[in-house]
Amino acid sequence: MKFFHTLAAAAIAATALLAPQAQATTLKQIEANGVLKVGMLVDFPPFGTMSTTGTPEGYDADTAKALAKYLGTKIQIVPVTGPNRIPYLLSGQVDVLVASLGITPARAERVDFSNPYAGIEIMVYGKKDEDVKDGAGLADKTIGVVRASTQDAGVTKVAPASATIRRFDDDAAAVQALLSGQVPLIGVSNVIAAQINKAAPGRFDEKFSLSSQVQGVAVVPGSDALLAKINAFVADAMKDGTMDKISEQWLGTKVPDFVRTGTAKAALK
């Protein structure tokens, strides 16, 4: 029996040696190639989507293009999915990820993150004349949320017992309820809030934040020079208004303070 245990251990060790190891992508390699390969989601508007001509566009696409320009290289955007984006990076199929990747402790064990360039916030949002500044302000109010969503959990946690929470099947239904006056308030992300503001400018505003998560550019661990250059880009882009311009184009608002400071009220899943 001991022999088989020893043999099995040897086999596991051999497999580990044969498994591909993530190699740090160096800044010099990217500069020598003259191309920055960027992994990006193309099914997460307005951060990443495909245009009618089949060209990647969105908040992340514009950020990636600005980064490539800063590095003095051309850009190659490689479509990735939520599950495969980190494996694409670690296997060397892309140099960096600008893929709406939230900075979490678990992910930070696998990749190195730049300073935040964007963020997603979950908020209570509604009619401008509704005086609601915090959870207590929801007393005797009706608020809509998407059933079993992050905003559902957030609103349920802070709403007093006298609040009425109306649950809808999706964002479209919750938004329609707000626009039609069925509910005066909804729990929603800043992405959806921007879309509402475009459809009905000036009618609604943010009441208070429930939770938020910052997003960073991801690189293979050990890519120190590349990461330092990306952090310099983020700092300059925040300072000169580049990131505000991108955020205003795709989200209808400047970069939130929680992104600039790298803080978040609570990690989103």
Side-chain angles (χ1 to χ4, degrees):
M1 183 67 70
K2 183 176 180 181
F3 170 77
F4 288 109
H5 286 168
T6 303
L7 187 61
I12 292 171
T15 301
L17 290 172
L18 291 173
Q21 300 295 309
Q23 296 296 316
T25 303
T26 69
L27 179 60
K28 288 185 177 180
Q29 287 173 333
I30 293 171
E31 291 173 339
N33 293 334
V35 177
L36 178 68
K37 293 185 292 183
V38 180
M40 189 189 98
L41 297 179
V42 293
D43 60 353
F44 188 50
F47 284 93
T49 186
M50 296 293 281
S51 70
T52 54
T53 60
T55 303
E57 63 179 16
Y59 193 119
D60 283 347
D62 285 356
T63 301
K65 291 172 185 175
L67 173 59
K69 182 179 180 180
Y70 190 85
L71 296 178
T73 68
K74 296 180 180 179
I75 187 170
Q76 178 185 350
I77 293 179
V78 179
V80 296
T81 66
N84 75 18
R85 52 191 167 174
I86 289 180
Y88 261 56
L89 175 67
L90 297 181
S91 63
Q93 296 181 68
V94 296
D95 300 321
V96 301
L97 292 176
V98 186
S100 301
L101 194 63
I103 300 175
T104 66
R107 288 172 178 158
E109 292 179 357
R110 303 182 64 194
V111 302
D112 284 350
F113 282 104
S114 73
N115 294 330
Y117 71 91
I120 292 179
E121 181 179 23
I122 301 299
M123 66 182 73
V124 170
Y125 183 85
K127 294 170 59 179
K128 279 198 168 181
D129 60 1
E130 290 288 338
D131 185 19
V132 178
K133 297 181 175 63
D134 53 25
L138 294 174
D140 301 317
K141 303 282 188 181
T142 298
I143 180 169
V145 297
V146 176
R147 184 179 290 104
S149 64
T150 303
Q151 54 265 39
D152 187 352
V155 168
T156 300
K157 182 178 180 179
V158 302
S162 63
T164 299
I165 302 175
R166 289 191 58 186
R167 293 177 171 84
F168 298 89
D169 290 335
D170 51 37
D171 280 314
V175 170
Q176 184 55 41
L178 178 69
L179 293 173
S180 65
Q182 297 176 53
V183 296
L185 302 161
I186 59 174
V188 72
S189 72
N190 59 325
V191 174
I192 301 299
Q195 295 174 3
I196 296 172
N197 192 52
K198 283 185 178 180
R203 288 180 55 190
F204 309 99
D205 61 10
E206 178 181 352
K207 304 305 177 183
F208 64 93
S209 176
L210 290 166
S211 59
S212 55
Q213 183 183 74
V214 292
Q215 301 164 2
V217 179
V219 302
V220 174
S223 308
D224 297 341
L226 175 59
L227 187 60
K229 193 75 171 183
I230 294 171
N231 278 332
F233 156 73
V234 172
D236 287 353
M238 289 291 184
K239 185 177 180 179
D240 67 17
T242 297
M243 293 313 307
D244 277 334
K245 183 178 179 181
I246 292 172
S247 184
E248 286 177 327
Q249 178 178 352
W250 295 104
L251 298 179
T253 184
K254 291 184 177 181
V255 176
D257 287 341
F258 74 85
V259 174
R260 294 182 182 279
T261 59
T263 59
K265 287 189 65 174
L268 305 179
K269 298 296 184 182

